[in-house]
Amino acid sequence: MDFIDVIKALGEKASRMKETIQTEEATKMAFVMPFISALGYDVFNPHEVVPEYVADLGIKKGEKVDYCILKDNAPIVIIECKHWKEDLNVHNSQLHRYFHVTSTRLGILTNGIIFKFYTDLVEPNKMDDKPFWEFNITELSEANIFELKKYHKSSFSVEQILGAASELKYSREVKRIMLEELANPTDVFVKHFVKQIHSGVMTAKVLEQFTGVVKKALNQLISEMISDRLKLALATEEDRDKIVIAEKVAENTTVSPVKEPENKVITHEIEKEAFFIVRSILRTTIDANRICHRDTQSYFGILLDDNNRKPICRFYLEGTKKYMGIFDEARKEVKLEIPSLDDIYKYADQLLATVHAYERKLEKA
């Protein structure tokens, strides 16, 4: 089985067996050790995985973290485990102490079901209070699996993981805030919309009236977007063409007859994942905000400075075979088949070289 199948099987096992797991040690044996093994590490090789890793703090001796993953005899990830029924929110202080006295930059707190990933984004060498990423292994999305692949022994890179950590952290917080606003919109959130659609005085009564309108409108929008995506996903190729034609006809009924209907380009999750991987590779060299993407009907392009004259790479991900287009010194595109998005990392040097070439031209100008 490949990595995706192994992780999904582990999630199904955890969902199926958890009620029979009575102790913390059983949780480790049934869920955590297989998880470490799924990442490509030999749990029975003390040069790769050390159980009960000593993490003494000052005069307090005998402190041990449940597992430590090693690379070249140096700790790269520490893992603290709890029973699967335990609430992890009350246990991060223990991992915090271990993190402080080891040289690792990554810590995982888990009960075998929930996995929380920590690093030191706020203050160097001090573990953040909040995880930059977490997931439930029984409810894994494709995006989570692609992210988890970065921790596999075959592709593990602290620099690339930390490069994406801040983005994961802030994306997670934005999603949390948006969910809260969708459930119970705050006055500040509602005012953002009212200012743009209401010309009168914004009284308390007006704000109260628009709160319900905004909440209903946004939830309807999300439902419609999901419905549209499902229609396209389930439709045959012939049906998709009909849907596109119907959309164009509908557009023509609401705009001037001489205006050409706009093409509908849908950016898929897999294209977003490819973009995030490229950005995580390049952000160690340039400001991540300079790396942009543009979706077209024929390819998904990634550009430097949102400039069509500075293409970094292109992706062709909607067919049965997936390709990545990279550019040589003459800016000629070379298409390469990528069976998995993980294969993007194989071309990190070429991507960096392309960006460096643009930067050198800019310096000479």
Side-chain angles (χ1 to χ4, degrees), residues 324-341:
M324 174 183 181
I326 59 176
F327 294 88
D328 58 21
E329 293 182 358
R331 253 192 284 182
K332 181 181 178 182
E333 183 182 6
V334 179
K335 278 189 180 181
L336 305 162
E337 185 176 351
I338 49 170
S340 158
L341 290 189

Side-chain angles (χ1 to χ4, degrees), residues 247-292:
E247 286 174 347
K248 289 181 178 179
V249 170
E251 286 169 6
N252 280 334
T253 63
T254 58
V255 297
S256 171
V258 296
K259 184 177 179 180
E260 290 291 328
E262 293 180 359
N263 289 321
K264 289 279 187 179
V265 177
I266 297 175
T267 301
H268 299 286
E269 287 300 319
I270 192 172
E271 293 171 325
K272 293 178 184 177
E273 288 299 320
F275 171 67
F276 290 138
I277 289 173
V278 172
R279 189 154 74 165
S280 71
I281 291 170
L282 299 178
R283 68 185 302 155
T284 57
T285 300
I286 59 172
D287 183 352
N289 292 322
R290 297 179 62 193
I291 307 164
C292 308

Side-chain angles (χ1 to χ4, degrees), residues 68-171:
C68 180
I69 298 177
L70 304 177
K71 182 178 181 180
D72 299 327
N73 294 320
I76 55 173
V77 183
I78 56 173
I79 305 174
E80 181 63 17
C81 310
K82 299 299 171 187
H83 182 247
W84 74 269
K85 287 186 177 180
E86 289 280 338
D87 179 3
L88 295 178
N89 292 322
V90 299
H91 291 293
N92 66 346
S93 60
Q94 191 174 3
L95 183 65
H96 191 285
R97 296 200 307 272
Y98 300 149
F99 189 96
H100 179 68
V101 296
T102 63
S103 58
T104 182
R105 298 283 306 279
L106 294 166
I108 300 175
L109 179 61
T110 182
N111 58 11
I113 307 295
I114 305 296
F115 290 77
K116 296 191 173 192
F117 292 70
Y118 294 84
T119 187
D120 54 354
L121 295 174
V122 177
E123 188 176 338
N125 303 318
K126 182 180 178 182
M127 192 184 89
D128 299 338
D129 292 330
K130 293 183 178 181
F132 66 85
W133 181 47
E134 67 177 84
F135 64 80
N136 183 324
I137 200 166
T138 66
E139 302 172 357
L140 273 177
S141 65
E142 285 192 19
N144 282 331
I145 294 175
F146 281 127
E147 189 64 34
L148 188 57
K149 279 185 176 182
K150 296 176 185 176
Y151 295 80
H152 195 277
K153 179 183 175 182
S154 63
S155 56
F156 186 90
S157 167
V158 172
E159 291 76 17
Q160 289 180 351
I161 291 172
L162 294 179
S166 59
E167 187 167 321
L168 281 169
K169 175 182 176 180
Y170 297 126
S171 294

Side-chain angles (χ1 to χ4, degrees), residues 12-31:
E12 292 169 1
K13 175 186 174 184
S15 182
R16 185 177 67 253
M17 294 182 56
K18 63 182 182 181
E19 295 297 337
T20 65
I21 305 299
Q22 302 299 319
T23 66
E24 183 178 304
E25 284 302 314
T27 300
K28 294 178 188 176
M29 293 293 293
F31 302 149

Side-chain angles (χ1 to χ4, degrees), residues 41-51 53 68-74:
Y41 298 98
D42 184 352
V43 294
F44 301 109
N45 181 351
H47 294 293
E48 287 191 4
V49 180
V50 179
Y53 184 77
C68 180
I69 298 177
L70 304 177
K71 182 178 181 180
D72 299 327
N73 294 320

Side-chain angles (χ1 to χ4, degrees), residues 235-252:
T236 63
E237 187 171 345
E238 182 179 353
D239 289 336
R240 288 194 190 102
D241 291 339
K242 290 178 181 178
I243 291 170
V244 172
I245 292 170
E247 286 174 347
K248 289 181 178 179
V249 170
E251 286 169 6
N252 280 334

